[in-house]
Amino acid sequence: MTNEYYPSTPYFLTAEIVRAIARAIDSKNDNASLDNKCKDLYLSRSELDALIEEHIYKPIAKLKLKKSIENEIKALVAQVFDNYLQIVANYSLAEWTRDDTGAWIIEVLFCPYMMNAIHLLGKRTKPFQKSDYMELIVAESSGIDIALNIIEKRVEGWQEFYRKLAKTEKDKITSWRRGESLPSFYSLYNLCNSYNKDTSKNVLLFLIAARAIDYFKITYGSNALMQYVDEPELLEDFIDYFKYKVRDLLDRNAQYAAYSNQTEEPVHQMSSIISMYLVKILREFADGNLKQSKETFVKAFDLSLYRSGHMCKKVIEVGLVIASWQETPDMNLISKLKSVQNLYGYTLPTIVTEDAKRKKENLVEDWEINMWRSNAQRVFNDFKVELPEKYAVYSSILPVYLDAKELKLDLKNPNKNIKLNDNSKLHRDKNKKKQITTQLIWNTLLEDLDAVNKLLQAGADINILSDNNESALLIALQHMNLIEINEPDDSFYQILKDLSYTPKTINAMTSKKHLLPLLSAVQTGRLEVVEHIVKLGADVNKKGGGSHLDALTTCLFLIGTIKNSKLSNNRFSMIAQDPETAIARMSDFEFSAFIRETQGSLGLNRQEVTSHLVQSTKSPDAIAILKELSEVFKEQTQANYELFDLREMRKIAKLLIDRGANPSARYDWSGIDGYTPFLLACELNEDELVTHMLNNATEDSKDDIINTVYRNRRNGQVVSYEKICQHFKADDVLDIVDRSLTLASSDKVN
């Protein structure tokens, strides 16, 4: 795909924003690689995060500020990109050009963020005050000159330090003060580093802020910041203001279009061009011209990015159908579409993997291709297009079909494959017409203990995995899993546990549900089972499951649920009674897991799923069924959770910590960015486990554990362990951490 011949987008590409911030603080003034990324329409979330880390976070880390200040600055930067992408993903500026929107977007969206950062610094960088930073904003002369004047007044010993500087250094500073040039990041860094006082870090930060403000004024105009001088803006307020301004633009554009349509000349608006492409795409697809339909789609997709707002979501869904129905599914196009979904926060399924060779956005599973194939008509319904019968795939859930011969045990060939799902319209990896599994795995799934025993005696290989990456051992652990809606049965585990397993088998993650043997072992609630799986070589830090959690976090969540088992019941009841709230509260990983389970049968995005469930709850029959299911769920769940033992779960958590589980491992949970097992243990007031985490940490890792914070993506606020302990009244944990910090401080003094 190429976008060289398309007009520039009305929205800035995210790499352009990274470059603007980097240039303002001069972290990477000339960087060809970053410049190239600024032309990339398809920049993925992981690539964006890497750019932010390299060009913004690393320079901030070099300042060696207090960890709390550094974290707050990083959180503010992260919130800039989150909120900006939310705007880009939902609000169309299709009829406008960069010349129309560029200065306006900077003033309406980015100036308030800059002012919020300045207000933050005014609170946290003594001896400088908010008024000092405001003086930099309103000054008509060089901000560096103003900053140095303030430093001379507020920083003890600075004048003496300046007097002893070499003439070349003084000449350089004089040039800055006159506004003849902007100081580089490293010039300021070296100057303050040679000052070598307790206040040098805050002096450096003050000078970098002055440099950034000067750069902003020179580049974007001196008045852009003035309207925000008085008070810092709430994030919600200026997001709402931006939406208002977008609606105003759209209204004006509609009036212009209505006026223009009265003339003989047609109005070639960008949204109209995209719509015409879509009509052509749908016609070509319905006629069976799949290759041509894909080529036309690529043009529409390119034009939609950073331009069409929420329309882009529908364009992507059309593209996923078209790419999936190609004679050979276009994995490259699907990965680009998934990457944009992830970047824009549309929260459709994104594969989670720790394969270092391939980025997660570029991994596509068979079930996803089949989901889009089987939902082609649903996607095309929005365009009032009726597809021919040849595009009908009647089940995306893929029910299992076996003929009678394949059900019979073949003990002479114990590793014989069983073929499943003979449906020629469904995509198979590696050109397979059918999915396959082994007799051993299949009979373990069927819970046929006699057949499993016979196959093992006949020499069945326990390390052969199914197409879905399942092993017989994993399924045996699932039969014991206390969070599944079944009565636990360990008979299969008992006959499988003492056999020889390869590390690949122990760490294999299933394709759809992302199950892992270690996570399933933790969910049995049995210490000896977890210990056994760890001894077999399980990676204690590998993440899996619908919520993409590691074993320690999974264990802690179970501890929290055991303490209040009604939470699990309430979650199911909420889906039945208030699906709109239940779906809205799901994290991206949870919702992706929900889509994996339903494979699009209830909808392909949050809006469709919510609408489907809300409609279902209006039916008396559906309400009765949901109520009955809810009661069964509550009864079985309560019975299983009563089998958990809190003391045993704490022993499992300690075992995982002893084997190297990371208390600082970050995860995303319901809009919370960067929660960790340590923070979760604080929330649960698990003083015993917090003590174990800190006692098993080195001095450096202990500092990382305690100083890790999370960011609430809804309001951009940074939250530390102290705030968590105070909110959840976890006084025992707070005392333990405070004592640990006091002890560490006294050790440093001694």
Side-chain angles (χ1 to χ4, degrees):
M1 283 192 278
T2 177
N3 57 289
E4 291 178 1
Y5 55 91
Y6 292 127
S8 64
T9 62
Y11 283 112
F12 297 104
L13 274 59
T14 49
E16 293 181 271
I17 300 167
V18 174
R19 183 174 62 183
I21 297 173
R23 284 178 173 174
I25 62 176
D26 189 51
S27 64
K28 289 284 182 181
N29 205 16
D30 295 302
N31 189 293
S33 174
L34 181 55
D35 287 343
N36 288 334
K37 292 295 183 183
C38 290
K39 303 171 187 175
D40 187 359
L41 272 174
Y42 320 109
L43 191 77
S44 70
R45 184 78 215 198
S46 59
E47 289 174 315
L48 172 60
D49 290 343
L51 289 178
I52 294 170
E53 177 67 33
E54 176 65 25
H55 299 291
I56 302 175
Y57 289 169
K58 278 189 178 178
I60 291 172
K62 284 180 182 176
L63 303 181
K64 297 182 179 178
L65 306 167
K66 285 184 179 179
K67 204 71 177 176
S68 58
I69 298 176
E70 180 181 325
N71 287 331
E72 288 189 60
I73 295 173
K74 287 182 176 180
L76 193 58
V77 170
Q79 200 68 25
V80 170
F81 289 93
D82 273 4
N83 284 0
Y84 180 67
L85 285 166
Q86 178 191 343
I87 290 289
V88 172
N90 289 288
Y91 293 90
S92 172
L93 291 180
E95 316 315 332
W96 300 83
T97 67
R98 183 72 65 85
D99 290 340
D100 298 320
T101 62
W104 168 72
I105 290 174
I106 290 166
E107 181 177 333
V108 174
L109 192 63
F110 294 113
C111 283
Y113 275 112
M114 189 168 180
M115 293 305 301
N116 276 18
I118 288 168
H119 280 276
L120 168 65
L121 297 180
K123 293 178 183 175
R124 304 298 304 274
T125 56
K126 303 300 180 187
F128 305 106
Q129 302 170 2
K130 173 183 165 182
S131 59
D132 298 326
Y133 286 92
M134 292 303 103
E135 199 171 334
L136 302 177
I137 298 291
V138 301
E140 295 183 3
S141 60
S142 162
I144 291 291
D145 183 40
I146 301 296
L148 288 168
N149 287 334
I150 294 171
I151 290 170
E152 288 172 1
K153 295 176 186 175
R154 294 201 179 275
V155 178
E156 186 178 351
W158 180 268
Q159 290 182 341
E160 179 64 18
F161 162 72
Y162 179 80
R163 188 179 64 79
K164 293 179 180 179
L165 286 175
K167 183 177 183 302
T168 53
E169 290 298 309
K170 289 180 179 177
D171 290 344
K172 190 188 299 182
I173 293 172
T174 300
S175 173
W176 300 342
R177 301 187 81 143
R178 289 174 179 167
E180 295 171 0
S181 64
L182 288 176
S184 70
F185 177 92
Y186 285 101
S187 292
L188 295 175
Y189 180 84
N190 291 332
L191 175 68
C192 294
N193 197 41
S194 62
Y195 177 57
N196 197 25
K197 301 288 184 182
D198 291 341
T199 56
S200 61
K201 295 174 185 176
N202 288 352
V203 171
L204 174 58
L205 198 55
F206 187 58
L207 285 170
I208 289 174
R211 193 242 186 241
I213 291 168
D214 277 353
Y215 175 86
F216 187 88
K217 287 179 179 180
I218 293 167
T219 309
Y220 303 112
S222 59
N223 296 321
L225 292 167
M226 294 300 291
Q227 62 183 305
Y228 301 106
V229 165
D230 293 335
E231 292 295 333
E233 296 290 310
L234 294 174
L235 301 182
E236 296 87 348
D237 289 345
F238 65 76
I239 286 292
D240 288 342
Y241 181 55
F242 190 92
K243 294 174 183 177
Y244 164 76
K245 295 291 283 186
V246 170
R247 286 193 293 269
D248 181 53
L249 275 181
L250 294 178
D251 288 344
R252 285 161 51 197
N253 187 67
Q255 293 168 11
Y256 168 75
Y259 172 78
S260 299
N261 285 335
Q262 295 174 9
T263 69
E264 294 181 2
E265 292 294 323
V267 179
H268 295 292
Q269 296 180 309
M270 193 61 71
S271 57
S272 300
I273 294 171
I274 296 170
S275 296
M276 286 189 290
Y277 272 138
L278 283 173
V279 170
K280 189 170 185 286
I281 291 163
L282 301 176
R283 184 172 63 246
E284 290 168 344
F285 183 83
D287 290 343
N289 299 325
L290 300 184
K291 186 176 179 181
Q292 184 59 48
S293 178
K294 184 183 76 171
E295 291 174 0
T296 307
F297 168 77
V298 168
K299 297 175 183 177
F301 179 49
D302 284 357
L303 283 177
S304 296
L305 290 173
Y306 293 92
R307 189 184 305 277
S308 298
H310 63 85
M311 184 181 180
C312 196
K313 181 190 293 186
K314 186 53 64 178
V315 169
I316 290 172
E317 290 179 358
V318 169
L320 285 163
V321 170
I322 291 168
S324 297
W325 268 102
Q326 297 298 307
E327 184 175 345
T328 300
D330 190 332
M331 299 300 190
N332 183 52
L333 177 55
I334 292 172
S335 70
K336 285 183 182 295
L337 295 169
K338 288 181 60 179
S339 178
V340 175
Q341 285 180 335
N342 187 27
L343 183 69
Y344 280 10
Y346 291 147
T347 67
L348 290 172
T350 298
I351 300 307
V352 177
T353 179
E354 294 177 1
D355 185 345
K357 295 180 181 179
R358 300 175 70 188
K359 295 175 182 177
K360 65 183 179 184
E361 294 95 312
N362 296 331
L363 293 177
V364 182
E365 293 175 305
D366 285 348
W367 74 267
E368 292 178 85
I369 293 174
N370 292 327
M371 180 181 77
W372 290 110
R373 285 190 172 200
S374 61
N375 281 285
Q377 187 59 66
R378 181 199 293 273
V379 172
F380 280 44
N381 279 342
D382 287 348
F383 301 95
K384 307 292 190 260
V385 173
E386 191 71 30
L387 291 176
E389 177 64 23
K390 64 182 177 181
Y391 292 115
V393 177
Y394 297 106
S395 175
S396 64
I397 304 299
L398 308 184
V400 175
Y401 300 102
L402 296 169
D403 63 38
K405 292 179 181 177
E406 289 175 318
L407 285 172
K408 187 177 180 181
L409 276 182
D410 185 349
L411 297 177
K412 290 183 179 179
N413 301 293
N415 294 321
K416 176 183 176 182
N417 290 330
I418 292 180
K419 299 175 182 178
L420 314 173
N421 304 326
D422 190 5
N423 187 334
S424 60
K425 291 185 179 181
L426 294 174
H427 169 67
R428 302 285 177 236
D429 190 24
K430 299 177 183 176
N431 298 316
K432 294 174 183 173
K433 293 182 179 179
K434 300 178 181 181
Q435 290 179 304
I436 61 171
T437 189
T438 67
Q439 293 187 89
L440 180 63
I441 293 170
W442 179 245
N443 283 282
T444 308
L445 276 167
L446 293 179
E447 298 185 69
D448 188 336
L449 191 61
D450 182 55
V452 170
N453 268 312
K454 288 178 179 177
L455 286 164
L456 290 174
Q457 291 168 9
D461 189 340
I462 56 171
N463 288 303
I464 298 177
L465 304 176
S466 72
D467 275 2
N468 195 37
N469 242 15
E470 296 156 322
S471 65
L473 178 62
L474 171 68
I475 295 163
L477 291 166
Q478 283 294 98
H479 289 329
M480 303 159 63
N481 192 328
L482 295 179
I483 68 169
E484 295 291 324
I485 310 302
N486 56 261
E487 292 186 12
D489 176 7
D490 73 350
S491 54
F492 293 88
Y493 172 73
Q494 293 300 334
I495 63 172
L496 288 165
K497 69 175 184 176
D498 295 325
L499 306 176
S500 297
Y501 293 93
T502 65
K504 179 182 176 182
T505 302
I506 298 304
N507 289 297
M509 183 165 65
T510 64
S511 298
K512 267 179 58 183
K513 293 185 178 181
H514 294 174
L515 301 177
L516 284 167
L518 181 56
L519 296 185
S520 297
V522 169
Q523 289 161 342
T524 68
R526 292 168 57 171
L527 175 63
E528 79 278 5
V529 174
V530 177
E531 193 166 24
H532 171 230
I533 300 301
V534 169
K535 283 181 178 178
L536 289 176
D539 181 350
V540 295
N541 288 308
K542 190 167 185 176
K543 294 180 180 180
S547 297
H548 192 51
L549 304 177
D550 58 23
L552 179 57
T553 308
T554 299
C555 184
L556 287 164
F557 264 109
L558 282 171
I559 288 171
T561 307
I562 295 163
K563 287 181 173 181
N564 187 1
S565 60
K566 291 180 180 179
L567 287 175
S568 183
N569 293 337
N570 291 342
R571 193 174 297 126
F572 185 87
S573 299
M574 183 174 285
I575 291 179
Q577 297 167 13
D578 186 4
E580 192 168 0
T581 301
I583 297 300
R585 287 183 178 178
M586 284 184 181
S587 69
D588 291 354
F589 287 121
E590 288 177 300
F591 184 72
S592 291
F594 183 88
I595 293 292
R596 275 195 289 276
E597 292 288 337
T598 59
Q599 293 201 41
S601 60
L602 301 181
L604 300 166
N605 52 52
R606 289 183 192 261
Q607 184 179 354
E608 287 183 5
V609 170
T610 301
S611 177
H612 181 96
L613 292 174
V614 168
Q615 196 62 36
S616 297
T617 57
K618 294 179 180 178
S619 162
D621 291 340
I623 291 172
I625 292 170
L626 285 171
K627 186 175 181 181
E628 184 178 345
L629 285 173
S630 179
E631 290 304 316
V632 171
F633 178 88
K634 287 179 182 179
E635 184 179 335
Q636 186 62 60
T637 301
Q638 192 63 39
N640 281 1
Y641 270 102
E642 287 175 1
L643 297 175
F644 279 111
D645 184 325
L646 271 176
R647 291 171 299 179
E648 191 85 344
M649 295 305 295
R650 289 182 181 118
K651 289 178 182 177
I652 290 173
K654 289 179 180 179
L655 168 69
L656 294 168
I657 294 166
D658 292 341
R659 297 297 190 275
N662 181 10
S664 298
R666 292 173 174 270
Y667 62 94
D668 185 9
W669 187 260
S670 299
I672 292 172
D673 180 18
Y675 222 57
T676 67
F678 170 74
L679 294 177
L680 181 55
C682 290
E683 175 186 326
L684 299 174
N685 201 22
E686 282 293 318
D687 54 328
E688 185 179 334
L689 295 181
V690 167
T691 300
H692 199 75
M693 290 176 185
L694 297 179
N695 287 346
N696 279 265
T698 64
E699 284 306 313
D700 288 341
S701 65
K702 185 184 295 185
D703 187 57
D704 287 339
I705 292 169
I706 293 173
N707 285 307
T708 298
V709 296
Y710 79 79
R711 177 172 63 94
N712 188 332
R713 281 184 163 164
R714 295 184 179 92
N715 57 24
Q717 296 299 305
V718 171
V719 180
S720 64
Y721 80 91
E722 296 135 305
K723 291 182 180 178
I724 291 172
C725 290
Q726 289 162 7
H727 180 78
F728 289 99
K729 297 181 172 55
D731 296 334
D732 295 339
V733 166
L734 194 57
D735 289 343
I736 288 167
V737 180
D738 287 346
R739 283 200 300 272
S740 179
L741 289 171
T742 302
L743 183 61
S745 179
S746 63
D747 287 344
K748 286 180 181 179
V749 172
N750 294 332

